[in-house]
Amino acid sequence: MRRDTDMSFRSPAGAGARGRFETVLEQMAGPWWIFLVTGIVWLVIALIVLRFRLSSVVAVGVLMGVVFLFAACWSFASPYGAFWALAAIFGLLLIFRGSIDLVTSISSRDTHSVWWLGMIAGVLEILLGFWVSQQEFPARALLLLIWVGFFALFRGFSDILLAFEVHGAERR
């Protein structure tokens, strides 16, 4: 007796990229509210960081500590030191992120009509990465605060929109 053990999810035949997208949304339909909560948390983080105060530096250091908690990062003991360490390697991270965004956007041009926005963002991130690598500490600090703040802001909006999109797919 042969059992079919293929557990992969397939989109309807001939549905293309849109059908695969809807299939993924249907798979995520259960915990749609988690995206809503994480979106709101990211917006609060963006609000704290984009105030450009001393608390912004501490917030980035603590956020980094939460991310690296299991790696025993030392940023909780010294949030200022963690902030400057993160600012020192930020240029390299921007170059890597820009490269990934560039490749991802170009490869998704068949499924997304605004793929060129990701391409422009990738090129700008690469250029910004080379620029920040040659700057002094105050410029790095300001750029890091702006980047983390806007990343949190856009991530918050994206998570909230994804929550409502998943919730809408659940209703169908």
Side-chain angles (χ1 to χ4, degrees), residues 24-39 159-160 162-170:
V24 170
L25 283 178
E26 289 170 3
Q27 292 171 7
M28 298 169 57
W32 70 271
W33 55 270
I34 292 175
F35 296 112
L36 183 64
V37 171
T38 58
D159 281 357
I160 289 171
L162 181 62
F164 287 115
E165 198 163 339
V166 168
H167 184 62
E170 183 180 77

Side-chain angles (χ1 to χ4, degrees), residues 84-97 124-144:
W84 290 113
L86 184 61
I89 62 169
F90 188 60
L92 181 63
L93 294 175
L94 273 173
I95 293 170
F96 285 146
R97 175 64 189 209
L124 289 176
E125 285 172 335
I126 291 170
L127 292 174
L128 195 59
F130 282 117
W131 177 76
V132 76
S133 296
Q134 300 176 5
Q135 296 300 315
E136 297 297 320
F137 284 135
R140 286 184 188 170
L142 183 62
L143 183 64
L144 182 63

Side-chain angles (χ1 to χ4, degrees), residues 5 53 60-61 68 82 91 102 110 116 129 131 150 152 161-162 169 172:
T5 59
R53 304 217 173 163
V60 171
F68 294 122
L102 186 65
D110 294 336
W116 53 273
W131 177 76
F150 279 103
L161 290 174
L162 181 62
R172 286 185 246 167

Side-chain angles (χ1 to χ4, degrees), residues 25-168:
L25 283 178
E26 289 170 3
Q27 292 171 7
M28 298 169 57
W32 70 271
W33 55 270
I34 292 175
F35 296 112
L36 183 64
V37 171
T38 58
I40 292 170
V41 169
W42 278 113
L43 289 179
V44 169
I45 291 171
L47 180 68
I48 293 170
V49 171
L50 289 176
R51 291 178 62 200
F52 297 111
R53 304 217 173 163
L54 195 54
S55 62
S56 301
V57 173
V58 174
V60 171
V62 170
L63 182 63
M64 187 175 139
V66 170
V67 171
F68 294 122
L69 180 64
F70 295 108
C73 185
W74 53 269
S75 65
F76 282 118
S78 175
Y80 297 109
F83 176 83
W84 290 113
L86 184 61
I89 62 169
F90 188 60
L92 181 63
L93 294 175
L94 273 173
I95 293 170
F96 285 146
R97 175 64 189 209
S99 301
I100 290 170
D101 286 345
L102 186 65
V103 169
T104 303
S105 65
I106 291 172
S107 66
S108 70
R109 64 180 172 217
D110 294 336
T111 58
H112 297 296
S113 61
V114 291
W115 64 273
W116 53 273
L117 286 174
M119 185 182 71
I120 291 172
V123 169
L124 289 176
E125 285 172 335
I126 291 170
L127 292 174
L128 195 59
F130 282 117
W131 177 76
V132 76
S133 296
Q134 300 176 5
Q135 296 300 315
E136 297 297 320
F137 284 135
R140 286 184 188 170
L142 183 62
L143 183 64
L144 182 63
L145 290 176
I146 290 171
W147 185 81
V148 170
F150 279 103
F151 171 80
L153 183 71
F154 294 140
R155 178 66 187 259
F157 286 132
S158 296
D159 281 357
I160 289 171
L161 290 174
L162 181 62
F164 287 115
E165 198 163 339
V166 168
H167 184 62

